[in-house]
């Protein structure tokens, strides 16, 4: 799986990595700067992250707004993020426009403006971003634990920065930081995709060669002294559940112990995806912490985390405590698992399982060229790009004795830092289930997935899919993609939340989650052992309209995935003990969501928009009034309504279509449903009679979330494409469209302000979201309504329309980097009866939408006087 990578260094010190990948007509360029939280001190904490924001504010040759508009009209996507060791930016574009991304980053390296007015505006945005993080108790706990674990090293300050520093920092501070660290000798440029290396190197030399080498870089002198004893910190704020995190000092990426600690992390909670953004198989359910704490009914979730860093950082474990258990019980259980690893070597079978998981996760990640560029850049910044590939060899060389040794050395009691969160009362809280520490806790600006830009679209030169119908009505969609040794299997049954009664709200989601918990021939352990031993996974979930199921595997394991999926769909047993564990996890999640400002604002808007007898009035996840009363008999009854004639299965990857179709027939062909397949009918709703507003006070928060909404339209509505393009301009294109430009950039009121249309088989809502300080809620609402009114009065411009068309059509190739994206596209094609030639017709469909149609769709759906508002957060 090793792919050829070339290293080239310019005389000014710029390191350039290129990798030709001709699997799709796209290319990505990333620029990495060796600057992050480790290069800061108290007084300027958070300055690297703030500088990252400022690089999106323009240069003399590309003023504010031109950057994101140019990327959009060239069919690309972009982003930037900051972490403790580095700051990175990227552009992913059609391959013939790669030079645009290279030009932008060369310009931003030396010519970013740092306009004083923009600095002032961005200050409130950055503080808003921090306040959004503060809404989560896990943020407070993590920040306190990190600053306790580190006494000297600047890792103690994190990335977002202390609020007092954010309020005091000056434009001169920012600009000096930028001029110090943004230089060729402190940068790594990575280019991956469909291009000619010699031609690209000529472009790079012409663009970056004239940039002067920077000054000598300030040395990071803060060397953390060896910890002399256990440290403990306690955080108490409003929140529904207790948590515990335990952090041990761990070595940097260059340490010979890095691979053994990576295996130790995987032993505890499964092999992780090497991609920052995930996308791998789920491998934690056969791992030690899940088995001991979650199945042991002590915790609702458990995690471990070890990452590659420049300087010694942390190895962490943690858990969310069940309501009927104590922190002390969970803490002792965590120590027990550590002691087992210290006293007894792991088995050869467990070691081989971990090594297979790591290899499989690497294969899944390599499906995307963006991930390849990301891993090359990260490793070159930390050590050497060669470890993007050789790290697999390092992990393969790890022995059971190595794992035992590093557990004894690094996880010693005197080296641990314990952080405990306990609720100060029964209200407040947020999304507090600990997860592995994210590399960039505030991935900035733009998420291409959020665009209503046909996530189903494929490159025009993609292989043609084939459609097959089994005798029982199952539709099978197949597409061969030989570019990766993996397969994605995704399916759906047209049975979801809209098919349940109000008294059993949540039964669709509960049933889907319970499917893998045991069948007539396999236990939950049997299923997880079979899949996770091979680095693959299966899952099932449900939403408003359907139940989804699927799996991810290396190609040779595709028949096993089909066998297991057929078993869990057709033969679930819903074991009582497993169901009660799931129920506890669901009720914990519901308690958290009841205290989460985003969830509560959405609920307030939804319940004003739809009458109480409408299926969209309810949350698919159910409520604390319904989920505790759902019985195993209810789950079994709902599962019996799954019907082959309402089922579609899409399979994409390195497959033999004849052989894989035979496997589908083998495991699903004799499935016979009971009665008639489910039907779908979602009643439409009118605009509310006036402006309706509901506010919910949530204790312990520092930021409010607001939701503005009107009824939208169905995906099959003739106005869908026009409304989609209106929404793209309103709240998504570039840096969150017109809403982002006004609410975020112009007025500095929010870190995010965006919009979406929930168009599906029924007419979902057209929704605008924003996260803002409570005192600015009304100002933000005025700015939102200003943009809605402008869209109603003027529509969009021809330039905005052409930018939208260019963006949507240019994103075709990018949307299909991974097999899962292709499979998702095939399911959408079948769900909405778009036809297998939809991909070829898509550019014409988008290009034919007129300004008049876009304006008419906006006027049909939006309103200046009839809409709903939901606000949740602290008292103003």
């Amino acid at each position: 799986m090793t792919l050829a990578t070339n290293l080239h260094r310019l005389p000014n010190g710029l390191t350039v990595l290129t990798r030709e990948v001709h699997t799709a007509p796209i290319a990505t360029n990333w620029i990495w700067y060796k600057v992050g939280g480790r290069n800061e001190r108290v007084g300027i904490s958070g300055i690297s992250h703030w500088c990252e924001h400022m690089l999106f504010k323009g240069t003399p040759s590309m003023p504010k707004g031109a950057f994101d508009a140019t990327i959009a009209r060239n069919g690309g996507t972009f982003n930037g993020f900051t972490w403790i060791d580095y700051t990175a930016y990227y552009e992913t574009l059609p391959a013939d426009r790669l030079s645009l991304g290279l030009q932008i980053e060369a310009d931003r390296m030396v010519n970013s403006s740092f306009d004083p007015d923009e600095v002032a505006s961005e200050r409130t945005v950055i503080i808003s971003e921090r306040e959004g993080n503060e809404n989560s108790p896990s943020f407070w706990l993590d920040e306190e634990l990190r600053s306790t674990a580190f006494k000297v090293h600047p890792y103690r300050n994190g990335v977002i920065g202390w609020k007092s520093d954010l309020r005091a920092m000056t434009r001169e501070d920012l600009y000096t930081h930028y001029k110090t660290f943004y230089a060729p000798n402190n940068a790594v440029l990575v280019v991956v995709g469909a291009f000619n290396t010699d031609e690209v190197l000529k472009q790079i030399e012409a663009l970056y060669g004239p940039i002067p080498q920077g000054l000598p870089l300030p040395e990071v002198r803060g060397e953390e002294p060896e910890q002399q004893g256990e440290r403990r910190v306690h955080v108490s704020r409003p929140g529904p559940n207790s948590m515990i995190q335990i952090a041990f000092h761990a070595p940097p990426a260059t340490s010979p112990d890095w691979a053994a600690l990576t295996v130790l992390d995987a032993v505890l909670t499964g092999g992780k995806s090497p991609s920052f953004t995930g996308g791998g198989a789920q491998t934690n359910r056969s791992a030690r912490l899940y088995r001991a704490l979650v199945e042991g009914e002590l915790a609702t979730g458990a995690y471990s985390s070890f990452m590659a860093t420049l300087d010694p950082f942390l190895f962490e474990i943690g858990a969310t405590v069940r309501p009927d258990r104590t922190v002390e019980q969970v803490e002792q259980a965590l120590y027990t698992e550590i002691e087992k690893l210290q006293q007894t070597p792991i088995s050869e079978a467990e070691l081989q399982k971990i090594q297979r998981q790591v290899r499989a996760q690497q294969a899944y990640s390599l499906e995307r060229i963006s991930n390849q560029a990301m891993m090359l850049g990260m490793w070159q910044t930390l050590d050497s790009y060669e470890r993007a590939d050789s790290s697999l060899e390092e992990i393969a060389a790890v022995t059971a004795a190595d794992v035992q040794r590093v557990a004894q050395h690094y996880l010693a009691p005197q080296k641990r830092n314990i952080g405990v969160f306990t609720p100060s009362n029964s209200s407040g809280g947020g999304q507090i289930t600990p997860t592995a520490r994210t590399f960039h806790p505030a991935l900035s600006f733009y998420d291409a997935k959020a665009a209503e830009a046909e996530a189903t679209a494929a490159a025009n030169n993609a292989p043609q899919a084939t459609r097959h119908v089994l005798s029982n009505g199952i539709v099978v969609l197949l597409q061969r993609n030989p570019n990766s040794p993996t397969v994605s299997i995704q399916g759906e049954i047209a049975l979801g939340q809209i098919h349940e009664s109000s008294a059993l709200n949540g039964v669709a989601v509960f049933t889907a989650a319970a499917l893998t918990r045991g069948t007539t021939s396999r236990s939950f352990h049997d299923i997880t052992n079979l899949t996770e031993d091979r680095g693959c996974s299966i899952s099932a979930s449900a939403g408003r309209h359907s139940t989804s199921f699927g799996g991810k595997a290396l190609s040779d394991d595709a028949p096993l995935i089909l066998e297991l999926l057929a078993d869990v769909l057709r033969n679930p047993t819903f074991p009582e003990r497993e169901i009660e564990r799931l129920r506890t996890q669901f009720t914990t999640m519901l308690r958290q969501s009841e205290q989460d400002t985003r969830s509560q604002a959405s609920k307030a808007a939804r319940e004003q928009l739809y009458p109480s007898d409408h299926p969209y009035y309810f949350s698919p996840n159910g409520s604390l009034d319904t989920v505790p009363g759902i019985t195993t008999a209810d789950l079994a009854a709902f599962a019996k309504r799954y019907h082959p004639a309402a089922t579609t299965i899409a399979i994409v990857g390195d497959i033999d279509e004849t052989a894989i179709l035979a496997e589908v027939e083998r495991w699903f062909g004799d499935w016979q449903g009971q009665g008639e397949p489910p039907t779908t009918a979602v009643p439409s709703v009118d605009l509310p009679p006036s402006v309706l507003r509901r506010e919910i006070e949530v204790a312990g928060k520092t930021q409010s979330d607001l939701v503005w909404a009107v009824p939208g339209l169905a995906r099959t509505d003739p106005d869908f494409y026009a409304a989609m393009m209106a929404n793209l301009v309103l709240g998504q294109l570039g840096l969150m469209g017109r809403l982002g430009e006004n609410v975020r950039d112009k007025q500095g009121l929010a870190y995010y302000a965006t919009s979406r249309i929930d168009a599906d088989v029924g007419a979902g809502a057209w929704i605008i979201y924003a996260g803002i300080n409570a005192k600015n809620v009304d100002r933000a609402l005025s700015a939102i309504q200003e943009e809605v009114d402008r869209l109603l009065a003027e529509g969009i411009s021809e330039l905005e329309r052409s930018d939208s068309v260019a963006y949507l059509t240019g994103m075709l190739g990018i949307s299909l980097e991974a097999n899962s994206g292709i499979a998702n596209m095939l399911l959408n094609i079948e769900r909405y009866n778009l036809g297998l030639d939809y991909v070829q017709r898509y550019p014409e469909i988008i290009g034919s939408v007129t300004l008049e149609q876009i304006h008419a769709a906006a006027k049909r759906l939006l309103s200046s006087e009839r809409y709903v508002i939901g606000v949740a957060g602290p008292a103003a």
Side-chain angles (χ1 to χ4, degrees):
M1 293 176 61
T2 301
L3 301 172
T5 304
N6 297 304
L7 182 145
H8 184 76
R9 283 196 173 91
L10 272 57
N12 60 9
L14 180 68
T15 299
V16 180
L17 300 174
T18 60
R19 174 182 284 184
E20 289 190 35
V21 181
H22 293 273
T23 57
I26 59 176
T28 186
N29 63 276
W30 291 60
I31 188 87
W32 296 73
Y33 296 98
K34 297 180 183 180
V35 60
R38 74 185 289 270
N39 305 99
E40 301 169 359
R41 56 176 169 77
V42 173
I44 58 167
S45 66
I47 196 169
S48 301
H49 175 244
W50 195 338
C51 279
E52 174 223 322
H53 279 229
M54 296 308 300
L55 259 70
F56 289 83
K57 297 294 186 177
T59 67
S61 62
M62 188 170 283
K64 178 183 173 181
F67 163 65
D68 43 292
T70 302
I71 291 292
R73 69 171 55 104
N74 280 276
T77 185
F78 63 95
N79 217 320
F81 59 84
T82 308
W83 196 50
I84 56 175
D85 287 327
Y86 41 70
T87 303
Y89 306 85
Y90 71 85
E91 293 81 29
T92 301
L93 291 147
D96 60 356
R97 297 164 223 180
L98 170 62
S99 59
L100 173 60
L102 296 173
Q103 291 167 16
I104 285 171
E105 294 307 340
D107 187 22
R108 297 204 294 184
M109 181 181 283
V110 289
N111 296 319
S112 292
S113 300
F114 285 75
D115 179 88
D117 290 339
E118 294 295 340
V119 170
S121 174
E122 204 65 19
R123 186 187 311 276
T124 56
V125 170
I126 297 283
I127 291 174
S128 173
E129 182 177 356
R130 181 185 164 95
E131 290 177 341
N133 292 339
E134 289 175 354
N135 274 5
S136 170
S138 60
F139 171 82
W140 292 103
L141 179 59
D142 188 72
E143 187 172 69
E144 289 293 322
L145 182 61
R146 185 183 61 243
S147 60
T148 299
F150 290 101
K151 298 298 185 182
V152 175
H153 195 282
Y155 280 162
R156 75 187 313 272
N157 297 316
V159 174
I160 192 68
W162 302 103
K163 192 178 288 187
S164 59
D165 291 350
L166 299 178
R167 288 173 174 150
M169 231 179 304
T170 67
R171 187 265 182 192
E172 288 68 31
D173 292 330
L174 292 162
Y175 194 69
T176 298
H177 194 77
Y178 165 64
K179 282 301 183 182
T180 301
F181 291 101
Y182 281 67
N185 56 308
N186 194 42
V188 176
L189 178 64
V190 185
V191 190
V192 178
F195 54 80
N196 178 278
T197 298
D198 291 339
E199 293 178 2
V200 165
L201 285 176
K202 289 178 182 177
Q203 292 182 48
I204 291 171
E205 289 170 351
L207 288 167
Y208 293 84
I211 299 175
Q213 178 173 313
L215 298 172
L217 295 163
E219 183 180 355
V220 176
R221 297 178 179 176
E223 182 178 347
E224 188 67 24
E226 184 174 355
Q227 185 170 333
Q228 300 302 309
E230 178 183 288
R231 302 169 187 166
R232 183 177 291 266
V233 63
H234 182 206
V235 176
S236 181
R237 292 177 60 83
N241 291 87
S242 296
M243 296 182 294
I244 181 168
Q245 294 181 200
I246 305 172
F248 303 85
H249 287 279
T254 53
S255 168
D257 288 338
W258 176 86
L261 282 162
T262 298
V263 173
L264 174 59
D265 174 38
V267 169
L268 290 170
T269 52
K272 313 297 195 302
S273 171
S275 167
F276 296 172
T277 53
Q282 182 179 359
T283 57
N284 69 308
R285 294 168 299 181
S286 66
R288 294 196 178 195
L289 289 190
Y290 188 94
R291 292 272 167 95
L293 275 77
V294 179
E295 292 189 7
E297 299 180 359
L298 294 169
T300 59
Y303 83 99
S304 66
S305 174
F306 173 66
M307 297 176 294
T309 53
L310 272 170
D311 297 331
F313 192 52
L314 299 172
F315 187 106
E316 293 188 23
I317 59 176
T320 299
V321 182
R322 279 176 55 125
D324 55 348
R325 297 291 185 265
T326 66
V327 170
E328 291 75 19
Q329 289 174 307
V330 174
E331 183 175 355
Q332 187 54 53
L334 290 169
Y335 296 153
T336 297
E337 292 308 309
I338 291 173
E339 290 165 3
K340 289 178 182 177
L341 289 166
Q342 292 169 331
Q343 295 169 3
T344 306
I346 64 173
S347 69
E348 188 62 27
E350 190 171 13
L351 179 61
Q352 291 179 1
K353 177 186 79 169
I354 296 304
Q355 291 168 340
R356 285 192 296 268
Q357 288 179 355
V358 172
R359 287 196 299 271
Q361 298 283 33
Q362 180 91 318
Y364 303 140
S365 181
L366 289 176
E367 291 180 16
R368 299 182 183 274
I369 66 164
S370 296
N371 286 346
Q372 294 182 42
M374 179 176 58
M375 287 188 287
L376 289 170
M378 182 199 75
W379 275 114
Q380 182 64 28
T381 303
L382 299 176
D383 185 13
S384 167
Y385 75 91
E386 294 173 323
R387 292 187 67 190
D389 296 317
S390 67
S391 59
L392 288 178
E393 299 171 12
E394 297 173 39
I395 289 169
V398 171
T399 67
D402 293 330
V403 177
Q404 184 180 24
R405 175 181 56 80
V406 296
Q408 292 171 344
H409 178 70
Y410 293 103
L411 307 190
Q414 70 271 20
K415 297 181 180 181
R416 64 195 181 204
N417 300 273
I418 302 109
V420 174
F421 171 85
T422 54
S424 59
N425 55 46
S426 61
S427 65
Q431 299 294 349
I432 67 167
T433 301
T435 58
R437 184 195 298 272
T438 56
F439 282 81
H440 37 87
L443 191 64
S444 61
F445 303 132
Y446 187 72
D447 177 6
K449 292 182 181 178
E452 296 292 330
E454 291 307 322
T456 63
N460 284 320
N461 61 350
Q464 183 66 44
T466 58
R467 183 179 187 271
H468 313 267
V469 182
L470 305 188
S471 59
N472 57 4
I474 293 178
V475 175
V476 183
L477 302 164
L478 304 176
Q479 186 159 318
R480 183 169 183 267
N481 178 17
N483 297 319
S484 174
T486 65
V487 64
S488 176
I489 300 173
Q490 295 186 35
E492 65 179 21
I493 305 168
L495 185 74
Q497 175 255 317
I498 64 171
H499 300 95
E500 63 192 23
S501 68
S502 59
L504 291 178
N505 180 211
V507 71
V509 170
F510 200 161
T511 303
L515 291 176
T516 60
R517 296 296 167 141
T519 69
T520 53
S521 61
R522 294 181 175 95
S523 68
F524 181 47
H525 279 195
D526 293 335
I527 294 168
T528 56
N529 288 340
L530 273 170
T531 54
E532 296 185 11
D533 281 356
R534 292 168 169 80
C536 54
S537 63
I538 66 167
S539 62
S541 61
R544 288 206 178 279
H545 309 98
S546 63
T547 295
S548 300
F549 58 90
K552 183 184 287 284
L554 297 177
S555 299
D556 290 346
D557 290 321
L560 171 65
I561 297 299
L562 286 169
E563 177 185 354
L564 292 175
L565 288 174
D567 193 21
V568 301
L569 286 170
R570 301 178 61 181
N571 307 306
T573 54
F574 306 109
E576 190 70 36
R577 187 170 184 182
E578 293 291 344
I579 296 309
E580 290 312 308
R581 288 175 181 152
L582 267 181
R583 191 190 312 277
T584 299
Q585 294 174 33
F586 272 113
T587 53
T588 297
M589 176 194 70
L590 289 168
R591 279 195 298 271
Q592 292 170 353
S593 67
E594 282 199 342
Q595 306 305 321
D596 177 72
T597 55
R598 180 77 170 268
S599 297
Q600 287 301 292
S602 298
K603 180 175 184 286
R606 186 179 67 245
E607 292 182 352
Q608 293 176 94
L609 200 60
Y610 298 102
S612 60
D613 59 350
H614 193 283
Y616 287 178
Y617 178 88
F618 302 95
S619 166
N621 293 324
S623 71
L624 289 171
D625 293 328
T626 59
V627 170
I630 294 174
T631 67
T632 55
D634 294 328
L635 302 177
F638 196 83
K640 288 184 183 300
R641 297 170 64 188
Y642 295 156
H643 203 288
T647 301
T648 303
I649 301 174
I651 306 175
V652 180
D654 189 12
I655 57 173
D656 178 301
E657 292 194 20
T658 301
I660 204 71
L661 186 61
E663 290 292 333
V664 177
E665 181 69 52
R666 175 185 179 187
W667 298 110
F668 289 89
D670 62 347
W671 180 22
Q672 298 299 317
Q674 296 185 9
E676 296 297 316
T679 58
T680 298
V682 180
S684 60
V685 296
D686 295 327
L687 286 166
S690 61
V691 175
L692 305 178
R693 178 168 174 166
R694 182 181 300 172
E695 298 192 20
I696 300 173
E697 184 176 339
V698 186
K701 305 303 180 183
T702 52
Q703 179 173 270
S704 293
D705 274 277
L706 70 85
V707 173
W708 181 106
V710 292
L713 75 179
R715 174 61 181 80
T716 53
D717 192 293
D719 285 341
F720 169 74
Y721 295 103
M724 177 189 69
M725 292 175 71
N727 180 69
L728 193 68
V729 171
L730 177 64
Q732 294 183 348
L733 196 64
L735 298 183
M736 297 176 286
R738 291 180 177 181
L739 290 170
E741 182 180 356
N742 189 341
V743 180
R744 185 189 191 283
D745 288 342
K746 181 180 176 181
Q747 301 198 47
L749 294 174
Y751 174 60
Y752 73 90
T754 187
S755 62
R756 76 165 194 253
I757 299 178
D758 289 338
D760 209 294
V761 294
W766 191 338
I767 308 170
I768 296 171
Y769 296 97
I772 49 213
N773 187 283
K775 65 183 180 183
N776 292 327
V777 166
D778 288 335
R779 285 182 60 198
L781 282 170
S782 295
I784 287 169
Q785 195 59 48
E786 179 183 328
E787 293 306 323
V788 170
D789 291 345
R790 182 157 73 101
L791 186 58
L792 285 169
E794 304 171 6
I796 70 172
S797 69
E798 175 55 34
L799 180 59
E800 288 172 320
R801 191 200 73 86
S802 63
D803 283 354
S804 299
V805 171
Y807 169 77
L808 293 171
T809 55
M811 284 289 290
L812 289 171
I814 297 173
S815 67
L816 287 179
E817 283 188 273
N819 292 331
S820 57
I822 302 172
N824 207 28
M825 172 270 295
L826 292 175
L827 290 179
N828 286 342
I829 283 176
E830 182 67 25
R831 183 188 306 129
Y832 304 123
N833 195 29
L834 302 174
L836 290 180
D837 63 343
Y838 176 68
V839 170
Q840 287 69 39
R841 293 185 293 107
Y842 181 74
E844 181 181 354
I845 293 171
I846 294 300
S848 64
V849 178
T850 66
L851 287 172
E852 291 74 21
Q853 290 171 327
I854 294 169
H855 196 190
K859 289 194 290 185
R860 169 191 161 190
L861 298 169
L862 297 175
S863 174
S864 296
E865 300 173 345
R866 301 168 65 186
Y867 51 86
V868 301
I869 298 168
V871 180

